[in-house]
Amino acid sequence: MSAVIEVSVAHRLGAFALDADFASDGRLTALFGRSGSGKTSLVNVISGLIRPQYGRVVIDGRVMVDSAIGVFVPKHRRRIGYVFQEARLFPHLSVRQNLLYGRWFAPKAEDGGSKLDDVLDLLGIGHLLQRQPGALSGGEKQRVAIGRALLAKPRLLLMDEPLASLDEERKAEILPYIERLRDGFGIPIVYVSHSIAEVARLATHLVILDQGKVSMSGPTAELMSRPDVPILSTSAEAGSILEARVLRHEPEHGLTILETPAGPLQIGRRKAPEGTALRVRILASDVMLSLKPLDGISALNVLPGTVAAIGARHGDGGALEVRLDCNGAGLLARLTVKSAEQLELRPGSAVYAVIKSVSIDTP
């Protein structure tokens, strides 16, 4: 599959130098990094708010920037939707009027694209049409802002930390709608975040920025399970993601059985029908390793695998990460240095990953 987004730019903003190079064919590309790493600057280059001094930007096969031949498509002609940290709705307009404002920017000659009823259904905001922005919760305002951007029929949607100003309850409210947008609307998304949990749940492609440079870029599941990406692997939220499907339910035990590339997993009961696709997140700190299959333990999930890589020790601390290959799927485990030494772990060692059902997270 050809890349939907291609970026190779260099630009200096005062003392800060942006020198970024990546390509992505993912449905949702996350730009991830610490504050000041260049995420928002890169988004502004893609959107046309910043004209880079050097480089090239291509979106869905259309050249937006090419400094070598003097091409720079102005922002109003790029057809890029932008959702900010704050919803930025017009306070004097109703929700309906705010949404329809987006249509002013849609190409008049095209019949395709987002229809109002489709957007209302996708975002669950049909009952809000007559309200004023002041009567909306933070999550509702952001959903309306997303809807307004979609009605402009963008070829790309940029979301610059859209959940940063929301509390945890409102974040949980809006995340499923972003997933629906990612999976069902056919519009590529570039999503800026410094939250590992958001990236693990939403991103199909991950771009890691550090001091203005792209340090790594690739499929999210692959990068999340590597022990040599310090910004991810040494975090308390370090872990792996697995694509799964609901196999069956055991209501008598309150469990759901999932089919994953790493093997079957038993997790706490979910309300998803059989056959539903889910994304599973397993924290590295919730994975134990054994050299033999274990009997007589409370943990219900024991996955065979081999050690693929062992990360470096955390400074002067006593922990490190181990990447496992479980039938081709990557799984990250966090161990003490002492445990790794006692197990005599090395690349190629056969091990068993032990995971408690109650520790496995799904949306």
Side-chain angles (χ1 to χ4, degrees):
M1 183 183 295
S2 60
V4 176
I5 306 164
E6 300 174 62
V7 176
S8 180
V9 296
H11 187 74
R12 180 168 288 278
L13 295 159
F16 180 78
L18 180 68
D19 187 1
D21 191 344
F22 76 91
S24 170
D25 58 9
R27 301 189 307 277
L28 190 148
T29 301
L31 304 183
F32 178 80
R34 297 185 176 90
S35 296
S37 61
K39 303 185 298 295
T40 296
S41 296
L42 185 53
V43 162
N44 287 340
V45 167
I46 295 171
S47 67
L49 295 176
I50 291 177
R51 181 170 186 164
Q53 291 148 349
Y54 306 99
R56 178 178 166 90
V57 176
V58 181
I59 299 172
D60 199 19
R62 296 172 174 84
V63 177
M64 300 295 165
V65 178
D66 193 331
S67 62
I69 57 176
V71 172
F72 179 78
V73 178
K75 55 184 177 294
H76 63 279
R77 292 180 52 202
R78 295 194 184 192
R79 288 180 53 195
I80 294 178
Y82 207 138
V83 179
F84 300 87
Q85 291 184 23
E86 302 82 22
R88 302 190 184 185
L89 303 179
F90 296 111
H92 62 291
L93 300 181
S94 68
V95 167
R96 175 185 285 276
Q97 291 168 326
N98 267 283
L99 288 169
L100 295 181
Y101 181 80
R103 284 186 168 177
W104 285 97
F105 302 95
K108 302 299 186 290
E110 294 188 10
D111 294 328
S114 307
K115 303 293 193 297
L116 178 59
D117 288 344
D118 295 336
V119 170
L120 296 178
D121 180 61
L122 173 80
L123 298 171
I125 54 177
H127 64 293
L128 303 176
L129 289 178
Q130 304 309 315
R131 293 193 195 175
Q132 299 296 121
L136 303 178
S137 70
E140 289 169 340
K141 289 178 182 177
Q142 283 298 72
R143 281 189 276 157
V144 174
I146 294 170
R148 183 174 62 185
L150 292 176
L151 286 169
K153 299 181 183 177
R155 58 170 58 99
L156 177 71
L157 185 63
L158 299 177
M159 306 184 78
D160 189 358
E161 302 205 54
L163 309 185
S165 62
L166 304 180
D167 59 29
E168 292 304 316
E169 183 178 354
R170 297 308 175 198
K171 287 181 183 180
E173 168 194 321
I174 199 171
L175 279 168
Y177 295 103
I178 299 177
E179 288 175 318
R180 292 177 65 185
L181 172 60
R182 175 198 67 197
D183 296 337
F185 234 64
I187 297 174
I189 302 168
V190 172
Y191 188 97
V192 176
S193 180
H194 61 266
S195 166
I196 292 179
E198 287 178 31
V199 168
R201 179 164 175 173
L202 297 173
T204 57
H205 189 98
L206 179 57
V207 177
I208 300 175
L209 285 160
D210 183 27
Q211 298 181 17
K213 297 181 180 294
V214 174
S215 61
M216 288 191 176
S217 175
T220 306
E222 178 182 314
L223 295 190
M224 292 284 289
S225 64
R226 288 178 56 166
D228 60 343
V229 188
I231 191 172
L232 297 176
S233 60
T234 62
S235 165
E237 294 186 281
S240 312
I241 55 176
L242 298 173
E243 300 300 331
R245 190 169 299 277
V246 176
L247 202 56
R248 66 180 187 278
H249 299 288
E250 291 185 2
E252 69 275 17
H253 297 127
L255 295 173
T256 292
I257 315 303
L258 302 180
E259 180 182 43
T260 80
L265 288 177
Q266 302 182 58
I267 67 173
R269 179 67 187 269
R270 300 298 189 269
K271 295 181 179 180
E274 292 183 7
T276 300
L278 295 176
R279 176 175 283 198
V280 173
R281 182 178 178 221
I282 302 173
L283 293 180
S285 56
D286 288 329
V287 180
M288 295 176 56
L289 297 186
S290 170
L291 298 179
K292 301 177 182 178
L294 298 179
D295 295 318
I297 59 172
S298 61
L300 297 176
N301 299 296
V302 181
L303 301 175
T306 58
V307 174
I310 300 175
R313 181 174 180 167
H314 297 184
D316 295 330
L320 52 74
E321 279 70 44
V322 177
R323 185 184 191 275
L324 307 181
D325 183 328
C326 298
N327 195 34
L331 192 65
L332 199 66
R334 175 169 291 159
L335 309 180
T336 63
V337 173
K338 183 176 182 178
S339 294
E341 291 176 352
Q342 289 181 340
L343 295 176
E344 298 182 353
L345 297 181
R346 58 182 56 86
S349 296
V351 295
Y352 293 84
V354 182
I355 311 162
K356 295 194 299 182
S357 296
V358 295
S359 68
I360 298 177
D361 181 38
T362 64

